[in-house]
Amino acid sequence: MNTPAQSLAFGAPGIEPRWTSSAKDGIGTAYHSASCIWFTLSHGIINEIYFPHVDSPNTRDLQFLITDGESFCHEEKRDLLHKTEYPEQNALLYRLTNSDREGRYRLVKEIVVDPHSSVLLMHTRLEILDEKLRGKLRLYALLAPHMKGTGKNNSTWLCGVGGRKLIEAQREDIDMSFGCTPDFTRRSVGYVGFSDGWQDLMDNFKMDWEFSEAVDGNIALMGEIDLSGGLEFTLGVGFGHTSHSACAHLLQALATPFADQREKYVSQWQRARARVDLSAHTSDGGSMMRLSQCLLLAHEDKVFQGAFVASLSIPWGDTKDDTDRGGYHLVWTRDMVQTATALLACGHTESPLRALIWLACVQAADGSLPQNSSISGEAYWKGIQLDEVAAPILLAWRLQQANALRQFDPWALVSRATRYLILHGPVTAQERWEEASGYSPSTLATIIASLVCAAEFARGKQDNFAADFLLDYADWLSAHLEEWTVTSRGELMVGRPRHYIRITPADPKKAVASPDPDNAVMFIANGGGKHHARNIVGGDFLHLVRLGVRAADDPVIVDSLAVIDHILKHDLPQGPGWRRYNHDGYGEKSDGSAYDGTGVGRCWPILTGERGHYELAAGRDPLPLIETIEKFANSGGMLPEQLWDADDLPDGKMKRGSPTGSAMPLCWAHAEYVTLVRSHKDGVCFDRIEPVYQRFAKGGTGSGIEMWTLAHQSQKIVPGKTLRLITDKAATIHWSFDGWMSANDLEMRDAGFGCWFADLPSDQLPAGASIVFTFLWEQGWEQKDFQIGVAASDQTLIPTG
């Protein structure tokens, strides 16, 4: 390798590095797994380039600086007008047109990834519309590395390989090579804020510096484009684990004409188009539908296949330093199951099956799944969310219904998860918004549906005993839903005191179960304050209808809808939107400044989709809400996590109905849209579990059993019900109905998947009686008595001993 004489840039280590805007206009990758590059776009330029994994950003941005050398220097992302187009259907091919505000010139760029190597390619055409600028415009490519997810401790230098003028950057075991066809005429590297190319050009509109090295800092690379032979050229950014591999990959990719690379890139994506034509069930001819399924597929890692991250964006990234990339580059089981389900709705089966098997490999021996994980499967945050434990069971059932499990047997995954749910539920340590513990309607809906699916799998194993046990537990949960999660004293809407609440607070570490939705008090995260739980509402209960646990016309459901519409609904220019819950603090502040731990939660497009599923279940047309979601997307077709739902702010800082600085695109939002479109085609919610719907929404199945576990120690049982004790290991139950004046022993039975149980004959006990019992384990006595009172259904007894 031939390296020029050293000329070290000044200003080390540069300014404190920052990430860039979360408001992406596009994301892309090659469909082929041989190419381990992903990229994002915003403001007309490339932002993060990821390598070698979907969670590993290595750049902050790549843009052009344009100058006439005398009177102006334009920064592409700030000074030009931007237009994003998709020139080919069913492909993540982008055409970016960035135009001078005075109409003097424009840049037309197309971006692809080499389908068979880790190289990003950007073909650019400069169109000069003002003849006075012909021969005067100078174009400079400015690239800011953030190798291995940080702008700190990066090093860069000029190099020559194979007679080509390249620029390299490196940190630890990742190397990046930057070049152009034709070659750069001049090159320089520097420290951001001091000796970088932006500082150089903005001074006098000329490139005065040609530093050959900048080490161990926040750096930027700049190359002058050779326009002497024409106004079209191709930039390339190649990656590898050595300098040689990065440079070789880059030059190999540049050796193939861009038109050929483009054709291969597009054809591979088009072969991955949706297997089910849903275009007729959209309001835009299927445009966003096609884009959404490509976006979902693109969020899967190519080495750790089956791992889908939540978003290739960093919420409020332009306000965050390198210590905070947020949690969106992680795998969230809930989000990934939503993505996999949406891909199933498109007719894809291979990616959803890979996702299920990936989850089976992440699942712990006790059946739990981490709150979120790296793509390699390592738990990141350590919380437990019961809906995430249950969700893979639903995915397994849907794959089975699609005859897509192939030779994978999900019973180990399913049985372990059900065991965990029964032994640790129904109180979840975190609900789906990761912020509160207790009895959550959406979590309970997911658990109930998953247990019915698990019973179906058990019957497939010819284990009717286990299947009946699982259905008994699901029936018990369903029978207690209103008691646990519905208030009769709501004060949010006159005439509607009885409705579902967001969550009934409870601590999963406190085993004594005494849920009180009427009187419990909760602290809301992100500065939301302290409130009576009965007056905090969200649309989480809609999962009960979506999955088939409750009918759409259930009176409590209908009243709850009226309440959330009164409190959470906002009419936006595109159509209705809903906030997650009242007093939500996760979002921009009222002045439009970034969320920093407190703020105001805004409308989520996801929730418009969830409402669309309810409308369908209620026999109404969801197409107006499908159209609303399509209009929520930005110019690049990306759906955000949140939308600004207040009045416009001055200077265009925030506009009503426009995306906020939250994550964009959010896979969950695109998955919700796709699934709603498929539901519209089918005339029934795609997520609905038919045996759940038949058992509960239509059949109204009740429960004659009261469940008791060490994690959830029920304090009452109504007359006529059997008491079922469930543990994680065998024991002898020592019990009495008369305060130990007499006693009986009962051996526990194996339910078939690691749960043991015994039924006490309490169904003949009158109100006012009490049940006392303890356990004789293999290692000895429990050393504690447990007591349950028999009460009328509207009473709660607190044990006296």
Side-chain angles (χ1 to χ4, degrees):
M1 183 177 295
N2 180 24
T3 303
Q6 295 299 301
S7 174
L8 185 64
F10 65 88
I15 63 173
E16 186 73 14
R18 287 285 186 273
W19 286 108
T20 189
S21 171
S22 62
K24 306 306 179 188
D25 294 315
I27 67 107
T29 186
Y31 185 71
H32 201 283
S33 60
S35 180
C36 294
I37 285 252
W38 294 258
F39 65 87
T40 68
L41 307 171
S42 76
H43 300 86
I45 69 167
I46 294 169
N47 294 147
E48 299 93 352
I49 305 175
Y50 294 77
F51 169 87
H53 302 295
V54 72
D55 65 348
S56 306
N58 290 278
T59 66
R60 182 182 187 273
D61 50 30
L62 167 58
Q63 64 169 326
F64 290 111
L65 303 178
I66 310 100
T67 178
D68 64 351
E70 298 174 353
S71 62
F72 69 83
C73 182
H74 290 160
E75 183 179 5
E76 195 179 5
K77 68 181 178 182
R78 287 192 174 93
D79 299 323
L80 304 188
L81 300 173
H82 313 302
K83 181 181 179 181
T84 302
E85 298 175 281
Y86 294 88
E88 302 282 353
Q89 282 192 359
N90 297 296
L92 294 178
L93 173 69
Y94 296 92
R95 180 181 294 144
L96 306 180
T97 302
N98 297 329
S99 304
D100 171 48
R101 294 178 186 273
E102 297 179 22
R104 294 172 292 176
Y105 69 88
R106 60 174 168 252
L107 294 165
V108 182
K109 308 185 295 188
E110 286 195 345
I111 303 161
V112 304
V113 174
D114 184 331
H116 299 293
S117 70
S118 297
V119 180
L120 178 141
L121 298 167
M122 180 168 70
H123 182 79
T124 304
R125 182 175 71 252
L126 172 62
E127 297 180 355
I128 299 176
L129 308 176
D130 183 347
E131 289 299 318
K132 295 178 183 178
L133 290 179
R134 193 168 297 277
K136 295 183 67 176
L137 280 186
R138 297 289 183 268
L139 209 58
Y140 301 88
L142 183 67
L143 174 60
H146 265 50
M147 306 292 282
K148 297 193 73 171
T150 178
K152 296 180 180 179
N153 307 118
N154 287 225
S155 295
T156 184
W157 56 89
L158 309 184
C159 74
V161 176
R164 301 295 299 273
K165 297 176 181 179
L166 307 180
I167 310 175
E168 287 190 59
Q170 181 269 339
R171 181 170 177 265
E172 297 177 3
D173 62 337
I174 302 295
D175 285 77
M176 179 179 70
S177 182
F178 183 38
C180 186
T181 297
D183 268 339
F184 294 129
T185 57
R186 289 188 294 169
R187 299 163 291 165
S188 187
V189 299
Y191 295 100
V192 175
F194 296 92
S195 53
D196 64 274
W198 191 93
Q199 300 291 332
D200 186 6
L201 290 175
M202 292 301 172
D203 177 32
N204 60 1
F205 313 133
K206 292 180 171 59
M207 183 177 176
D208 300 313
W209 301 331
E210 293 185 66
F211 297 114
S212 61
E213 185 179 17
V215 298
D216 202 24
N218 181 13
I219 58 175
L221 294 55
M222 190 170 79
E224 182 177 8
I225 305 300
D226 184 356
L227 299 175
S228 61
L231 301 183
E232 294 191 37
F233 56 92
T234 301
L235 279 177
V237 185
F239 287 89
H241 293 289
T242 66
S243 172
H244 177 271
S245 65
C247 293
H249 290 156
L250 173 63
L251 296 181
Q252 288 162 357
L254 289 173
T256 300
F258 182 83
D260 294 346
Q261 297 278 28
R262 182 189 192 276
E263 182 181 2
K264 287 188 294 183
Y265 179 86
V266 170
S267 65
Q268 286 184 0
W269 268 112
Q270 289 181 337
R271 287 198 297 271
R273 70 184 63 184
R275 275 57 166 174
V276 179
D277 186 7
L278 301 173
S279 301
H281 304 280
T282 68
S283 69
D284 66 353
S287 176
M288 187 169 152
M289 178 70 217
R290 291 187 290 270
L291 173 60
S292 293
Q293 71 101 23
C294 288
L295 290 174
L296 295 176
L297 288 169
H299 279 77
E300 181 183 6
D301 193 63
K302 296 177 182 179
V303 174
F304 300 100
Q305 293 188 351
F308 290 79
V309 296
S311 176
L312 279 169
S313 70
I314 301 167
W316 299 284
D318 48 356
T319 68
K320 294 183 176 181
D321 61 24
D322 286 350
T323 64
D324 186 1
R325 278 191 278 148
Y328 290 75
H329 294 161
L330 299 168
V331 178
W332 301 78
T333 300
R334 174 179 46 257
D335 295 50
M336 189 163 85
V337 169
Q338 293 279 355
T339 291
T341 300
L343 290 173
L344 268 177
C346 294
H348 292 281
T349 57
E350 292 183 6
S351 293
L353 179 58
R354 286 199 297 269
L356 180 66
I357 295 172
W358 188 92
L359 289 169
C361 295
V362 171
Q363 186 186 44
D366 68 356
S368 64
L369 285 116
Q371 179 180 359
N372 52 37
S373 310
S374 68
I375 56 173
S376 62
E378 182 181 354
Y380 189 71
W381 293 344
K382 307 302 182 183
I384 295 290
Q385 300 171 12
L386 294 184
D387 67 329
E388 292 196 313
V389 177
I393 303 175
L394 302 182
L395 178 58
W397 187 84
R398 291 175 184 133
L399 281 163
Q400 184 191 59
Q401 296 301 297
N403 196 28
L405 284 172
R406 300 189 178 181
Q407 295 184 20
F408 177 67
D409 183 353
W411 178 244
L413 168 72
V414 169
S415 59
R416 287 176 174 180
T418 54
R419 178 180 185 272
Y420 190 91
L421 293 168
I422 290 170
L423 294 177
H424 295 84
V427 173
T428 184
Q430 293 181 348
E431 33 67 90
R432 65 175 180 159
W433 305 125
E434 348 266 356
E435 296 173 353
S437 64
Y439 300 84
S440 158
S442 63
T443 299
L444 289 168
T446 306
I447 294 173
I448 292 167
S450 72
L451 292 174
V452 174
C453 291
E456 295 276 309
F457 280 112
R459 292 209 194 281
K461 296 286 185 181
Q462 307 302 312
D463 191 346
N464 291 329
F465 187 75
D468 290 342
F469 177 87
L470 292 167
L471 292 176
D472 285 343
Y473 192 89
D475 293 346
W476 171 69
L477 292 177
S478 176
H480 282 284
L481 273 171
E482 287 76 12
E483 175 192 344
W484 291 343
T485 62
V486 171
T487 181
S488 297
R489 295 177 51 203
E491 301 163 306
L492 296 175
M493 185 177 182
V494 175
R496 307 280 179 139
R498 182 167 167 77
H499 56 77
Y500 283 95
I501 64 176
R502 175 196 163 196
I503 191 169
T504 300
D507 184 349
K509 295 179 181 178
K510 295 181 179 178
V512 173
S514 52
D516 188 359
D518 283 337
N519 299 298
V521 173
M522 67 181 299
F523 291 87
I524 297 178
N526 306 309
K530 178 181 177 182
H531 304 271
H532 281 290
R534 65 177 180 265
N535 292 327
I536 305 298
V537 294
D540 307 75
F541 66 89
L542 292 176
H543 267 55
L544 295 166
V545 176
R546 180 174 183 152
L547 292 172
V549 181
R550 289 291 183 269
D553 60 357
D554 180 286
V556 184
I557 295 285
V558 173
D559 282 355
S560 301
L561 279 171
V563 174
I564 65 168
D565 283 356
H566 180 63
I567 298 297
L568 303 177
K569 182 181 178 183
H570 289 255
D571 292 321
L572 303 177
Q574 306 95 323
W578 284 264
R579 293 185 178 184
R580 298 191 301 175
Y581 52 86
N582 45 331
H583 305 291
D584 185 5
Y586 177 62
E588 264 87 358
K589 300 181 187 297
S590 297
D591 63 0
S593 57
Y595 167 77
D596 60 0
T598 62
V600 180
R602 305 292 175 179
C603 288
W604 291 53
I606 289 170
L607 302 180
T608 297
E610 292 185 352
R611 185 53 172 270
H613 276 100
Y614 172 80
E615 294 299 305
L616 178 64
R620 297 187 283 269
D621 186 1
L623 187 59
L625 294 178
I626 290 173
E627 182 178 6
T628 294
I629 299 173
E630 291 164 357
K631 292 178 179 178
F632 283 157
N634 69 359
S635 60
M638 306 292 107
L639 285 174
E641 182 179 59
Q642 297 184 45
L643 299 158
W644 185 254
D645 55 21
D647 292 337
D648 294 358
L649 294 180
D651 304 322
K653 189 174 183 179
M654 285 289 171
K655 186 175 181 180
R656 188 175 181 86
S658 65
T660 69
S662 57
M664 184 168 68
L666 183 66
C667 284
W668 188 356
H670 283 275
E672 181 66 26
Y673 167 76
V674 169
T675 309
L676 178 58
V677 172
R678 174 60 187 268
S679 299
H680 184 221
K681 176 184 184 298
D682 294 347
V684 64
C685 293
F686 186 75
D687 282 356
R688 192 174 86 182
I689 308 296
E690 194 60 27
V692 174
Y693 177 73
Q694 294 298 329
R695 189 174 188 86
F696 298 116
K698 286 195 72 175
T701 302
S703 173
I705 303 174
E706 181 65 29
M707 305 291 178
W708 186 101
T709 67
L710 288 166
H712 190 264
Q713 298 175 16
S714 301
Q715 298 299 287
K716 69 172 183 176
I717 182 171
V718 297
K721 289 199 174 186
T722 297
L723 177 63
R724 176 166 292 175
L725 310 179
I726 306 172
T727 65
D728 64 346
K729 56 190 175 183
T732 300
I733 308 296
H734 191 60
W735 59 275
S736 175
F737 289 165
D738 56 13
W740 294 126
M741 292 177 63
S742 62
N744 299 275
D745 289 335
L746 183 61
E747 296 297 324
M748 302 189 81
R749 304 169 66 189
D750 185 357
F753 49 89
C755 287
W756 295 75
F757 76 99
D759 290 343
L760 300 188
S762 55
D763 53 316
Q764 300 301 315
L765 293 177
S770 65
I771 308 164
V772 62
F773 58 92
T774 190
F775 299 93
L776 176 59
W777 309 104
E778 182 179 348
Q779 66 271 27
W781 288 98
E782 173 65 26
Q783 302 297 320
K784 180 180 180 181
D785 289 350
F786 302 94
Q787 185 171 317
I788 297 178
V790 182
S793 59
D794 60 347
Q795 293 178 319
T796 299
L797 290 185
I798 304 300
T800 58

